[in-house]
């Protein structure tokens, strides 16, 4: 865990989600489940127990009919950089087992299931409810085990899991680049399952530090904001909306003033 | 030696310290933590060579292009196929969860024969030979009794080679009763036939339009080809969308403007907008003056003067009057009508939600008239009739006398006969036709393929009663659903991703696109391609039935019948009919007047003529009295729920909100204002009563639903052996009665009167 990677060009993978495009269809969630072997149970209606790496929340402007409006907010792990971008994400700071760590090469907050012993401090620390706990053994009935993706390990009962920004896809892209003797992973080579899946192209994914990537300019849009910015968790997931009420509901107190590189 | 307290404690302390300094406890803890995390039943997915198969999704009629990622022989992920002309890479959540259907617990693994009572789900595994022999004996028996017309087939589609094969079998066998499952296509096709004299489905050129006026079509809820709509409308913020419906759906929330019209008044609203466009002269004069009939008053064959569209809307549909009916202010009606008329390329579309159920033809005609006023028919950004491309080469076929006599019998569902001469299929009338028959059921044998009528039809109890009178039901479903449970012989078809088949042009697409679904995996179970089953079955009859099927199997049939198209299909995975460019107005219309007919001459002489204002005001389409049932129940569609014949997959059940389903309880959406009137709060348990039935539900307060209206989703309340969906929520179809459209005979119920009782 070195914080000084001066000799390497630092990448900070992040996401910009256009809330004015999102229709709340849920394709991102299902693509994520399928890519990341997220288990399912017969009753998934108790949402606090439901395992998700990405959830699409629905918020309303609380006006009465017919002035009411709704907005869908897809929430993956925010991949917090922490204060001053040192990688001190809330979950990383509290984990007693170093089961969750900040990767200085990509800015991605990892989760190592075999290290996790299920204390759930990280869940308490995360202000975004991005983490869920495996209360039950995963079950894939009939032949459903055949649909498991070998690139992502199946989690066992008793550990915490969360969105990894499909880190296995980064590894695969990096290996491919290495074989082809390239230093750079291209923008299109590494995309998360949800960004790739979004049928209305509301999710844009890329390196926030790379001016060639779309997210680099999108995050500077005047309508861009992040969730709970006042907490200085410094998330790498940005949202876009023209609707003021949505921004207010996202508790965006420091909007536009606190976006640090 | 005496062991005193001091000695005991220091010994204990020593042991503790000593153990801690040894690796023992750490090793044990490590082992324990590894052991607790390495249950043998936590699977380790097998690695293998990664490959990809491009194919077409057939989980709904949308026919989106998909890419299946494989590891070894396993399919592990479905993604959108970016260079497919229908959806350009966008697919819906159901498509993403497709592997759960393929590998899921509901698959029928071999031919089966029912052993318990119908609906009990008790089946016995039998061999294909035995199963096919049973079916053949039964059908041969009917033929020897000169009753081949008592065989009927309920099918999900009437397009594509498999449907044609079944139809050919019915023809050779001697039955006129090919019945397509209900969908909004029924009304669309009829409206096209009446106004333009064209056979075909309605295509919308959303690609080139910049203003969409949707009278209830759930453009973001899975209407048409879901991937296409999400890609075209969802990802494109430049297109102005006006959504008209009584509930703030995801489509309405995403639209630029939401007009909450009272349920069932969409057609009236369309005529009100027509009034504004006509009054202000904003219509396309070239089209109206030269290529339309029935805009001005006209005289029929008997010499009576009949009211034209212009007089109708000007006299009866003034915005102030329409505002009273629809609940939309006159100012709003005028401004939207002007915006529609003024947009460079605008299109109006009718339909409800996903369009998986039929709707009224009147409403469809009223909305079609707006397109005619705009003159966007066969124009870029407008609508057009998409004919089924003539891409198949069939060998000549002869039928015997039995078959010929059977074919001449009237259809059991009444379509195309007497009362409903222009309607092609009327599945909604089938249960009544069977239940009201004296003596033996008019259907003695039934084939069901790609349909689940005992779930999707309104009033499934009546349908069940009708089914119980049919002595022999054969089902080709790949999964165990409500209708399969009620069948006698199951001849499971290969499923999605297991077979080769052509995919007919998806609903709403403006050019004919034929797709080719290719197998991504080997068939998992002892199933057989439906095409092969039909060919084998036909061959077993001998005589003319056999000679009508000269192919060895479905594979050779497909290559021979597709002839010229096959190489394109095989190479690209799709084929676009280039010859199908929309015709200019002069040649486009095949009606009596060779023009677009505002007043379908085909209907002009019958009593149930055109726009009957009462029908359009919704009064006739809503059963139940206002006194006993002060509320209105409407169904809604959600793209997160699979609303058609297939139950939602486990992943889809996982993404539905806890405002739709909590444990096994369905939640009914109700406006807080209405809830207060009934003394209800969030989560209250209530009994929802309609003239058709009753159900226990819970209350969800939602300000996005019109006061006085309550809503339940389509797609829940399945009753089939699938623990992920069985008994979860309410099947809203069971709470709604059919309402027959007097013009077409189709079911046009968009809701039903209802009341809530506290428990």
């Amino acid at each position: 865990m070195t914080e000084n990677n001066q000799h390497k060009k630092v990448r900070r993978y992040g996401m910009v989600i256009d809330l004015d495009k999102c229709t709340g269809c849920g394709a991102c969630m299902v693509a994520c489940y399928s890519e990341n072997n997220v288990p399912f149970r017969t009753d998934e209606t108790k949402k606090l127990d439901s395992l998700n790496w990405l959830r699409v929340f629905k918020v309303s402007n609380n006006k009465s009919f017919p002035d009411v409006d709704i907005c869908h907010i897809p929430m993956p792990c925010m991949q917090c950089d922490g204060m001053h971008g040192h990688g001190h994400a809330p979950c990383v700071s509290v984990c007693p087992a170093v089961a969750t760590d900040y990767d200085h090469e990509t800015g991605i907050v990892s989760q190592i299931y075999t290290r996790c012993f299920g204390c759930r401090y990280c869940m308490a620390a995360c202000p975004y409810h991005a983490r869920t706990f495996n209360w039950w053994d995963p079950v894939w009935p009939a032949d459903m085990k055949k649909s498991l993706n070998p690139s992502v390990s199946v989690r066992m009962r008793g550990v915490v899991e969360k969105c990894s920004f499909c880190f296995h896809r980064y590894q695969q892209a990096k290996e491919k680049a290495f074989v082809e003797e390239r230093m750079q992973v291209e923008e299109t080579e590494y995309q998360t399952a949800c960004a790739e899946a979004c049928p209305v192209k509301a999710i844009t994914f890329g390196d926030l530090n790379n001016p060639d990537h779309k997210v680099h300019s999108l995050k500077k849009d005047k309508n861009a904001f992040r969730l709970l910015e006042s907490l200085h968790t410094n998330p790498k997931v940005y949202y876009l909306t023209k609707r003021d009420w949505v921004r207010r509901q996202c508790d965006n107190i420091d909007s536009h003033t606190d976006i640090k590189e | 030696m005496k062991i005193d307290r001091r000695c005991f404690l220091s010994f204990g302390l020593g042991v503790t310290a000593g153990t801690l300094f040894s690796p023992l406890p750490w090793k044990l803890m490590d082992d324990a933590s590894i052991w607790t995390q390495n249950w043998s039943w936590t699977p380790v997915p097998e690695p293998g060579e990664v490959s990809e198969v491009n194919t077409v999704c057939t989980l709904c009629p949308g026919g989106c292009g998909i890419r299946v990622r494989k590891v070894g022989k396993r399919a592990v992920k479905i993604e959108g196929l970016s260079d497919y002309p229908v959806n350009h890479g966008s697919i819906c959540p159901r498509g993403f969860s497709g592997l759960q259907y393929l590998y899921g617990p509901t698959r029928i693994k071999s031919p089966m024969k029912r052993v318990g009572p119908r609906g009990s789900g008790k089946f016995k595994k039998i061999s294909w030979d035995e199963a096919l022999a049973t079916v053949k004996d039964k059908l041969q028996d009917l033929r020897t009794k000169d009753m081949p017309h008592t065989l009927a087939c309920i099918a999900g589609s009437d397009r594509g080679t498999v449907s044609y094969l079944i139809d050919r079998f019915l023809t050779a066998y001697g039955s006129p009763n090919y019945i397509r499952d209900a969908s909004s296509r029924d009304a669309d096709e009829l409206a096209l036939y009446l106004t333009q004299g064209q056979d075909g489905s309605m295509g919308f050129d959303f690609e080139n339009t910049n203003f969409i006026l949707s009278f209830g079509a759930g453009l973001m809820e899975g209407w048409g080809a879901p991937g296409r709509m999400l890609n075209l409308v969802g990802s494109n913020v430049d297109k102005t969308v006006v959504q008209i419906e009584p509930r703030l759906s995801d489509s309405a929330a995403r639209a630029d403007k939401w007009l909450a019209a009272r349920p069932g008044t969409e057609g009236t609203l369309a005529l009100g907008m027509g009034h504004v466009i006509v009054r202000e002269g904003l219509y396309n004069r070239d089209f109206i003056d030269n290529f339309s009939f029935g805009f001005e008053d006209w005289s029929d064959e008997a010499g009576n003067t009949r009211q034209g569209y212009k007089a109708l809307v000007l006299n009866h549909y003034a915005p102030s009057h329409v505002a009273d009916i629809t609940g939309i202010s006159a100012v709003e009606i005028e401004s939207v009508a002007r915006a529609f008329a003024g947009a460079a390329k605008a299109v109006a579309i009718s339909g409800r939600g996903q369009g998986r159920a039929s709707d009224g033809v009147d409403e469809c005609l009223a909305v079609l008239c707006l397109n005619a006023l705009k003159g966007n028919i066969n124009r870029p950004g407008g609508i057009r009739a998409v004919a089924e491309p003539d891409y198949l080469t069939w060998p000549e076929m002869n039928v015997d006398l039995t078959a010929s006599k059977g074919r001449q019998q009237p259809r059991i569902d009444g379509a195309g006969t007497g009362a409903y001469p222009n309607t092609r299929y009327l599945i909604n009338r089938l249960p009544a036709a069977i239940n009201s028959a004296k003596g033996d059921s008019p259907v003695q044998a039934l084939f069901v393929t790609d349909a689940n009528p005992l779930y999707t039809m309104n009033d499934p109890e009546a349908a069940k009663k009708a089914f119980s009178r049919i002595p022999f039901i054969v089902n080709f479903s790949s999964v165990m659903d409500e209708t399969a449970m009620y069948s006698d012989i199951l001849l499971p078809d290969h499923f999605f991703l297991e077979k080769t088949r052509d995919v007919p042009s998806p609903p709403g697409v403006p050019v004919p696109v034929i797709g080719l679904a290719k197998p991504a995996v080997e068939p998992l179970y002892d199933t057989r391609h439906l095409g092969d089953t039909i060919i084998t079955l036909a061959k077993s009859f001998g005589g003319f039935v056999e000679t009508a099927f000269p192919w060895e199997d479905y594979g050779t049939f497909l290559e021979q019948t597709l002839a010229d198209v096959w190489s394109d299909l095989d190479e690209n995975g799709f084929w676009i009919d280039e010859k199908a460019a929309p015709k200019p107005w002069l040649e486009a219309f095949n009606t009596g007047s060779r023009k677009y007919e505002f007043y379908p001459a085909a209907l002009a002489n019958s009593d149930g003529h055109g726009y009957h204002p009462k029908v359009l005001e919704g009064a006739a389409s809503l059963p139940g009295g206002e006194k006993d049932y002060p509320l209105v129940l409407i169904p809604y569609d959600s793209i997160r729920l699979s609303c058609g014949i297939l139950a939602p997959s486990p992943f889809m059940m996982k993404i539905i909100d806890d405002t739709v389903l909590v444990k096994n309880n369905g939640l009914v959406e109700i406006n807080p204002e209405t809830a207060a009137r009934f003394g209800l709060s969030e989560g209250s348990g209530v009994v929802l009563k309609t003239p058709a039935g009753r159900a226990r539900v819970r209350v969800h307060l939602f300000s996005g639903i019109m006061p006085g209206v309550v809503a339940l989703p389509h797609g829940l309340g399945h009753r089939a052996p699938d623990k992920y969906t069985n008994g979860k929520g309410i099947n809203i179809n069971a709470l709604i009665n059919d309402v027959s459209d007097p013009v077409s005979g189709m079911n046009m119920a968009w809701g039903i009167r209802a009341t809530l009782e506290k428990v």
Side-chain angles (χ1 to χ4, degrees):
Chain A
M1 185 173 155
T2 50
E3 292 192 11
N4 297 316
N5 280 309
Q6 304 297 340
H7 60 289
K8 273 188 191 169
K9 197 175 174 201
V10 179
R11 283 183 276 267
R12 277 175 69 244
Y13 281 101
M15 210 175 253
V16 181
I17 304 177
D18 190 338
L19 300 179
D20 296 339
K21 273 190 182 173
C22 176
T23 66
C25 73
C28 52
M29 285 194 265
V30 178
C32 170
Y33 300 154
S34 176
E35 179 75 26
N36 293 303
N37 301 333
V38 175
F40 49 90
R41 301 179 62 243
T42 47
D43 181 26
E44 286 281 356
T45 62
K46 201 175 165 195
K47 295 299 175 190
L48 280 177
D49 290 348
S50 177
L51 278 160
N52 282 280
W53 287 19
L54 166 67
R55 268 193 72 186
V56 180
F57 287 88
K58 186 167 156 182
V59 295
S60 153
N61 63 357
N62 295 322
K63 289 193 178 166
S64 59
F65 183 90
D67 301 316
V68 57
D69 190 13
I70 50 173
C71 178
H72 297 279
I73 306 183
M75 281 179 65
C77 169
M78 297 288 137
Q79 310 288 354
C80 304
D81 277 346
M83 278 255 234
H84 314 297
H86 289 329
H88 297 297
C91 52
V92 172
S93 309
V94 298
C95 180
V98 206
T100 184
D101 202 357
Y102 183 87
D103 176 30
H104 287 271
E105 184 186 320
T106 56
I108 293 172
V109 178
S110 63
Q111 178 72 20
I112 301 148
Y113 314 115
T114 42
R115 282 192 196 160
C116 174
F117 52 74
C119 72
R120 296 182 283 134
Y121 278 3
C122 54
M123 287 173 69
C126 175
Y128 302 103
H129 290 263
R131 296 170 159 272
T132 41
F133 183 65
N134 281 274
W135 288 101
W136 297 275
D137 280 312
V139 180
W140 283 272
D143 281 316
M144 282 193 190
K145 273 182 200 156
K146 287 186 180 163
S147 66
L148 292 175
N149 178 5
S151 307
V152 180
S153 44
V154 172
R155 282 75 63 191
M156 54 301 269
R157 186 179 69 191
V159 301
V160 170
E161 61 182 69
K162 71 156 191 87
C163 158
S164 66
F165 264 4
C166 289
F167 191 73
H168 60 284
R169 290 186 168 207
Y170 175 70
Q171 288 170 315
Q172 283 160 0
K174 208 168 76 165
E175 278 166 24
K176 187 165 166 267
F178 181 77
V179 169
E180 291 168 8
E181 297 181 342
R182 284 181 286 123
M183 293 300 288
Q184 277 289 348
V185 171
E186 296 301 321
E187 186 178 15
T188 50
E189 279 181 314
Y190 170 38
Q191 287 291 315
T192 60
C194 54
E196 195 180 73
C198 180
V200 300
K201 303 177 181 72
I203 306 179
T204 316
F205 180 79
D207 181 2
L208 297 168
N209 282 355
N210 188 336
D212 298 336
H213 287 202
K214 285 190 224 92
V215 287
H216 186 264
S217 54
L218 280 175
K219 74 167 198 263
K220 294 178 184 158
D221 189 288
K222 68 176 165 51
N223 292 318
F225 68 95
R226 295 177 290 178
L227 297 181
L228 304 174
E229 283 189 61
S230 53
L231 298 179
H232 299 286
T233 48
N234 214 352
K236 285 196 286 293
V237 177
Y238 290 76
Y239 293 91
L240 296 175
T241 183
K242 289 183 179 141
R243 290 174 281 184
D244 272 336
W245 68 266
V246 175
R247 228 166 312 174
R248 270 199 304 280
Q249 289 213 358
C250 295
D251 192 17
N252 186 34
I253 296 162
D254 286 354
S255 176
H256 314 309
T257 57
D258 197 35
I259 299 169
K260 295 196 180 75
E261 289 302 315
Chain B
M1 191 183 113
K2 191 179 169 240
I3 300 171
D4 58 10
R5 185 172 173 273
R6 183 189 189 88
C7 175
F8 179 79
L9 285 177
S10 34
F11 181 72
L13 207 64
V15 168
T16 312
T19 321
L20 280 176
F21 277 104
S22 81
L24 188 71
W26 312 109
K27 178 69 184 148
L28 279 177
M29 197 191 286
D30 189 39
D31 281 357
S33 50
I34 288 170
W35 178 75
T36 53
Q37 296 179 358
N38 277 313
W39 301 108
S40 54
W41 51 85
T42 302
V44 179
E46 215 178 294
E49 198 188 330
V50 179
S51 59
E52 277 175 353
V53 179
N54 294 345
T55 180
V56 180
C57 178
T58 52
L59 290 174
C60 85
C64 294
I66 53 172
R67 197 174 62 214
V68 182
R69 192 198 311 156
K70 287 177 71 180
V71 172
K73 287 183 174 172
R74 308 185 288 122
V76 301
K77 180 88 191 280
I78 293 176
E79 278 158 4
L81 182 59
S82 49
D83 48 5
Y84 195 75
V86 172
N87 57 316
H88 296 283
S90 297
I91 60 169
C92 71
R94 191 207 267 194
F96 275 109
S97 67
L99 297 177
Q100 294 202 315
Y101 290 107
L102 177 70
Y103 292 122
T106 55
R107 290 289 304 272
I108 299 172
K109 297 181 178 170
S110 73
M112 309 259 247
K113 186 178 158 185
R114 179 173 61 84
V115 287
R118 279 209 174 137
S120 67
K122 286 198 181 112
F123 287 91
K124 194 181 95 184
K125 194 175 157 182
I126 52 173
S127 72
W128 272 100
D129 289 343
E130 189 190 342
L132 286 169
T134 315
V135 176
K136 190 241 160 185
D137 289 350
K138 176 71 193 174
L139 296 186
Q140 187 72 60
D141 184 42
L142 286 178
R143 249 173 95 81
T144 32
K145 287 187 200 150
D146 260 346
M147 292 162 68
H149 57 281
T150 58
L151 168 68
C153 175
I154 297 178
S157 165
D158 62 348
R159 288 185 167 193
T161 51
V162 176
S163 305
Y164 299 146
L165 268 182
I166 300 171
D167 195 35
R168 192 176 173 90
F169 175 76
L170 290 190
T171 309
Y173 176 82
S175 166
N177 292 305
Y178 189 94
I179 305 170
R180 187 178 69 182
D181 207 358
S183 74
S184 63
R185 268 188 167 188
D186 300 337
D188 285 357
E189 288 177 1
L190 181 57
L192 277 181
Y193 177 73
L194 295 175
T195 56
Q196 303 188 27
Q198 297 287 3
D199 282 327
S201 58
M202 218 183 266
F204 297 85
D205 188 14
F206 292 123
E207 281 83 353
N208 296 307
T209 201
N210 53 20
F211 191 102
I212 301 170
L213 183 56
S214 162
F215 288 83
L219 302 179
M220 298 294 104
E221 254 97 17
W223 179 92
R228 170 175 180 251
M229 298 314 296
L230 288 164
N231 174 55
L232 278 180
V233 184
S235 64
N236 199 331
V237 285
D238 302 334
K239 293 186 202 292
T240 307
V241 181
V242 177
Q243 182 75 16
I244 297 157
E245 57 181 314
R247 175 180 174 271
L248 182 67
S249 65
D250 290 344
S251 304
R254 180 65 174 65
D256 298 82
K257 193 173 195 61
W258 168 44
L259 294 183
R262 292 200 184 102
T265 63
E266 290 87 350
T268 314
L269 185 60
L271 291 172
M273 290 183 180
H275 174 103
V276 179
I277 294 172
V278 172
R279 189 185 64 198
E280 301 185 3
L282 301 173
Y283 53 87
N284 184 323
R285 282 182 197 277
D286 179 28
F287 182 77
I288 296 299
D289 293 347
N290 303 320
F291 301 98
S292 81
F293 165 82
F295 182 74
E296 303 288 346
D297 292 351
W298 52 287
S299 12
D300 61 18
E301 280 175 6
N304 303 320
T305 306
R306 306 289 285 257
Q307 193 180 39
Y309 177 82
K310 183 177 165 186
L312 177 90
V313 292
L314 289 183
N315 296 343
H316 301 289
Y317 294 95
S320 54
H321 173 58
V322 171
D324 289 343
I325 296 169
T326 60
I328 310 280
S329 75
V331 179
E332 200 89 83
I333 295 171
E334 283 169 351
S335 90
V336 172
R338 286 183 198 128
F340 175 77
K345 282 168 189 161
V347 69
I349 168 174
S350 65
R352 288 170 200 142
Q354 300 189 340
R356 303 277 180 259
S358 68
D359 46 18
V361 73
D362 282 306
E363 183 184 313
C364 192
L365 285 170
V367 174
L368 197 51
C369 286
L370 285 179
N371 289 307
L373 290 178
K374 184 79 194 155
N376 70 10
I377 290 159
N378 289 10
R379 285 287 164 96
I383 67 155
R384 63 190 62 152
V386 183
E388 172 71 338
D390 184 18
Y391 64 106
L392 300 172
T393 322
W394 293 92
E396 284 287 313
M397 139 183 201
N398 295 310
V399 296
D400 57 19
L401 193 62
T402 321
S404 159
K405 277 200 296 196
R407 285 288 284 183
Q408 282 160 25
Q409 297 284 329
R411 283 175 65 94
I412 294 162
D413 63 358
T417 55
Y420 312 112
N422 302 309
T423 311
R424 296 170 66 204
Y425 310 103
L426 283 173
I427 186 174
N428 53 309
R429 302 188 70 82
L430 189 64
I434 296 173
N435 289 334
S436 65
K438 292 187 185 77
D440 284 345
S441 155
V443 179
Q444 286 293 308
L446 178 71
F447 283 0
V448 182
T449 164
D450 209 13
N452 186 6
L454 293 188
Y455 175 78
T456 55
M457 285 180 76
N458 284 344
D459 196 359
E461 282 311 311
K464 248 179 210 171
K465 201 174 143 215
F467 269 50
S468 67
R469 292 194 63 193
I470 303 173
F472 189 65
I473 303 174
V474 181
N475 200 316
F476 301 99
S477 175
S478 306
V479 294
M480 190 58 96
D481 57 28
E482 286 82 351
T483 312
M485 298 260 288
Y486 232 72
S487 304
D488 300 306
I489 299 282
L490 305 178
L491 299 176
D493 190 5
H494 290 334
F495 202 26
F496 160 72
L497 301 184
E498 288 179 332
K499 62 179 170 184
T500 307
R501 61 166 270 203
D502 57 320
V503 181
S505 203
V509 176
V511 284
V513 184
I514 306 296
L516 184 69
K518 292 177 189 167
V521 293
E522 293 283 310
L524 296 169
Y525 310 113
D526 185 15
T527 54
R528 201 177 272 191
H529 198 298
L530 178 54
D532 284 329
T533 308
I534 295 294
I535 292 173
T536 319
L537 189 63
K539 281 182 185 294
S540 68
F541 279 86
F544 283 118
V545 185
E546 182 180 1
T547 48
F549 291 80
W551 313 278
E552 203 171 307
D553 55 24
Y554 179 77
T556 34
F557 155 78
L558 197 62
E559 266 184 67
Q560 285 176 19
T561 335
L562 289 170
D564 310 339
V565 185
W566 174 253
S567 60
D568 263 16
L569 262 182
D570 198 29
E571 201 174 306
N572 307 328
F574 62 88
W575 172 75
I576 297 176
D577 188 6
E578 304 291 354
K579 287 180 290 185
K583 287 184 187 150
W585 289 336
L586 199 58
E587 300 156 31
F589 308 117
N590 212 10
T591 52
S593 59
R594 299 274 147 189
K595 289 177 174 175
Y596 176 92
E597 296 196 349
F598 277 93
Y599 273 73
L603 272 180
N605 299 326
S606 70
D607 293 339
H609 163 15
Y611 318 101
H612 196 281
K614 259 196 138 164
V615 172
L616 285 174
E617 277 161 31
S621 56
L622 200 59
E626 201 166 340
K627 194 163 148 273
D628 295 338
Y629 300 101
L631 299 170
V632 170
L633 169 70
I634 56 165
Y636 70 89
D637 286 350
S638 163
I639 199 164
R640 292 192 185 188
L641 275 166
S642 168
C643 307
I645 58 170
L646 287 169
S649 62
F651 279 162
M652 296 183 80
M653 292 301 286
K654 198 174 157 97
I655 62 171
I656 57 173
D657 278 328
D658 53 3
T659 55
V660 175
L661 185 75
V662 170
K663 290 210 171 95
N664 287 350
N665 298 301
L667 274 77
V668 64
E669 284 185 355
I670 181 168
N671 191 288
E673 198 182 290
T674 321
R677 201 149 48 94
F678 281 77
L680 302 170
S681 53
E682 181 74 33
S684 305
V686 286
V687 173
L688 176 62
K689 269 171 67 176
T690 73
R694 50 192 289 146
R696 279 283 295 266
V697 288
R698 284 178 187 280
V699 160
H700 168 55
L701 304 184
F702 180 43
S703 358
I705 181 115
M706 177 176 276
V709 178
V710 293
L712 275 176
H714 270 134
L716 289 173
H718 277 275
R719 293 278 174 197
D722 169 14
K723 61 180 178 174
Y724 295 94
T725 54
N726 183 27
K728 289 178 184 285
I730 304 299
N731 178 7
I732 186 170
N733 302 323
L735 297 174
I736 296 184
N737 277 334
D738 262 23
V739 178
S740 263
D741 179 350
V743 181
S744 64
M746 292 171 198
N747 169 38
M748 54 184 281
W750 42 261
I752 194 163
R753 291 226 153 262
T755 186
L756 295 174
E757 277 171 14
K758 247 181 168 171
V759 280

